[in-house]
Amino acid sequence: MNIKSLLLGSAAALVAVSGARAADAVVVAEPEPVEYVRVCDVYGAGFFYIPGTENCLKIGGYVRYQMNYNDLDWTETDVGPHDYRFWKLARFAPSFDVRSETEWGTLRAFAEVEFDWNSYTWNAANVGTGAAQSTNLNHAFIELTQSNGTLRIGKGNTPYARFLGYGNGNGPFVGSYGFRNSGEVSYTFHGGAGFSAVIAAIESPTGLFEPAVEVGARVSQGWGTVGAMLAYDTPANAWSAKAVARVNMAPFSAGVHVFYSNAVNAYTVDGASRWSVLGHAKVDFNDTFAVAASAQWFDRNLVGGANRYQFIGAIDWKPVRDLRIRPELRYTTGTKAVEAAIRFDRSF
């Protein structure tokens, strides 16, 4: 009987405690406020407000895979028994564009990083060194834009390369046009009737305060653009210039570039030519398929070389949205170099 009484008493106590707990009020924590991402359509598609700020951010970039072939007459450099090279490039290039309105105007920061893998590389003596990976900060600059102009400070493709357009297009082979990527402080003036002008101080690779100077002007209309650029390379005490005309009469577009250097400097076309002329044309058959061709002449007399030509043919195919496939072929006289590449770009 004592054991039975003990069991019954324990059961009663357990029921009483359980009932008391069930009667207690249930406390539910207040949910944290949620700030949903808002679309920012002030600067175009793809921008959104960074939560808690008035900064608009766009994340973009591309993934690239490219297969390359060349026959550069390797017997001249005596690098081995094979007279050709075949290698691949893989690249991931994310970009970040942040903009906001301030009392001084539109404040922008832009950055793009290139993460590259090459299946084959060469040393200075053109001897193969196998696969390699690399990272390159391609762009990192800050801009302040007002109604009459844009001030830029940072690293990127300099105005001499970008202001009048990039050679013959955006493909594996773009011709030689004085491309340079470096630090800069520049101001671009936006005038009426399509007129704009730029002046820039470009960082020198010497480690000394001796910046190069770039100046230029252009007029842009519905039919195309025309403009000129002048660059003075301070360390080399030499200068280069170019004049560019482009026409766009859909589905046809074309351009002519004329280059001059008084001596070898960082802007010299082909690194050797006093004079050079580049011509290119493109036909867009529809929104997804186009063909392009270009030719460039080099006099190369700054180094005592013989004149030469380069011819490029390309197909530009966009089978689906954000996917671009571009095979190209280039031939250079004199060296009799044959080069080919096919590029796959998936942008986002």
Side-chain angles (χ1 to χ4, degrees):
M1 293 296 294
N2 290 336
I3 295 175
K4 183 177 180 180
S5 298
L6 179 61
L7 293 175
L8 290 174
S10 299
L14 180 60
V15 171
V17 172
S18 300
R21 289 181 177 175
D24 291 341
V26 177
V27 178
V28 179
E30 289 291 331
E32 293 291 333
V34 176
E35 182 175 353
Y36 294 97
V37 174
R38 295 176 295 151
V39 174
C40 175
D41 56 4
V42 178
Y43 309 110
F47 284 90
F48 62 90
Y49 285 99
I50 300 174
T53 75
E54 292 303 314
N55 293 314
C56 295
L57 170 65
K58 180 179 181 179
I59 301 174
Y62 62 92
V63 173
R64 171 175 297 167
Y65 192 72
Q66 181 172 311
M67 292 178 280
N68 308 277
Y69 166 88
N70 66 35
D71 182 346
L72 300 179
D73 195 7
W74 291 97
T75 56
E76 293 184 359
T77 53
D78 192 24
V79 297
H82 303 291
D83 61 355
Y84 75 94
R85 292 294 183 270
F86 179 72
W87 75 102
K88 279 77 66 182
L89 163 71
R91 172 178 293 172
F92 171 49
S95 62
F96 306 88
D97 193 343
V98 183
R99 307 187 197 188
S100 63
E101 295 304 311
T102 72
E103 296 83 353
W104 287 4
T106 302
L107 181 62
R108 180 193 186 198
F110 181 84
E112 181 185 89
V113 184
E114 296 176 341
F115 300 95
D116 286 356
W117 170 82
N118 278 280
S119 65
Y120 192 80
T121 56
W122 298 266
N123 61 17
N126 286 328
V127 177
T129 57
Q133 299 189 61
S134 62
T135 302
N136 174 46
L137 181 61
N138 197 32
H139 299 282
F141 58 81
I142 298 171
E143 285 184 339
L144 186 63
T145 299
Q146 298 177 332
S147 59
N148 59 347
T150 299
L151 174 68
R152 176 185 288 197
I153 181 169
K155 178 184 183 292
N157 300 335
T158 71
Y160 198 84
R162 72 175 187 267
F163 190 66
L164 301 179
Y166 293 95
N168 61 4
N170 182 23
F173 307 122
V174 294
S176 182
Y177 55 94
F179 176 83
R180 191 171 183 183
N181 183 288
S182 184
E184 73 174 79
V185 177
S186 66
Y187 183 78
T188 303
F189 171 74
H190 308 299
F195 175 80
S196 58
V198 65
I199 182 170
I202 309 301
E203 186 174 352
S204 169
T206 63
L208 303 175
F209 184 73
E210 43 186 14
V213 178
E214 301 178 3
V215 295
R218 74 180 179 210
V219 175
S220 300
Q221 300 291 333
W223 51 264
T225 62
V226 60
M229 289 288 303
L230 175 69
Y232 176 71
D233 185 350
T234 304
N237 190 24
W239 59 274
S240 295
K242 65 179 177 180
V244 179
R246 297 176 183 268
V247 294
N248 186 7
M249 303 174 65
F252 176 79
S253 60
V256 177
H257 309 235
V258 180
F259 308 92
Y260 175 82
S261 292
N262 74 325
V264 174
N265 63 80
Y267 301 93
T268 300
V269 169
D270 196 37
S273 297
R274 186 182 302 275
W275 288 96
S276 180
V277 179
L278 167 65
H280 53 88
K282 182 181 178 183
V283 179
D284 293 285
F285 291 96
N286 51 47
D287 293 337
T288 64
F289 188 82
V291 295
S294 68
Q296 187 165 7
W297 167 74
F298 309 92
D299 68 6
R300 295 183 60 81
N301 65 16
L302 290 177
V303 296
N307 294 356
R308 67 173 56 167
Y309 292 86
Q310 276 188 344
F311 302 96
I312 300 172
I315 294 174
D316 203 341
W317 183 33
K318 301 173 183 176
V320 296
R321 186 178 61 188
D322 299 328
L323 175 63
R324 183 177 186 230
I325 302 173
R326 189 175 175 101
E328 290 193 6
L329 180 67
R330 178 166 71 179
Y331 175 74
T332 304
T333 65
T335 61
K336 299 181 180 180
V338 177
E339 301 165 87
I342 181 169
R343 174 179 290 181
F344 302 85
D345 280 339
R346 200 298 188 198
S347 58
F348 58 91

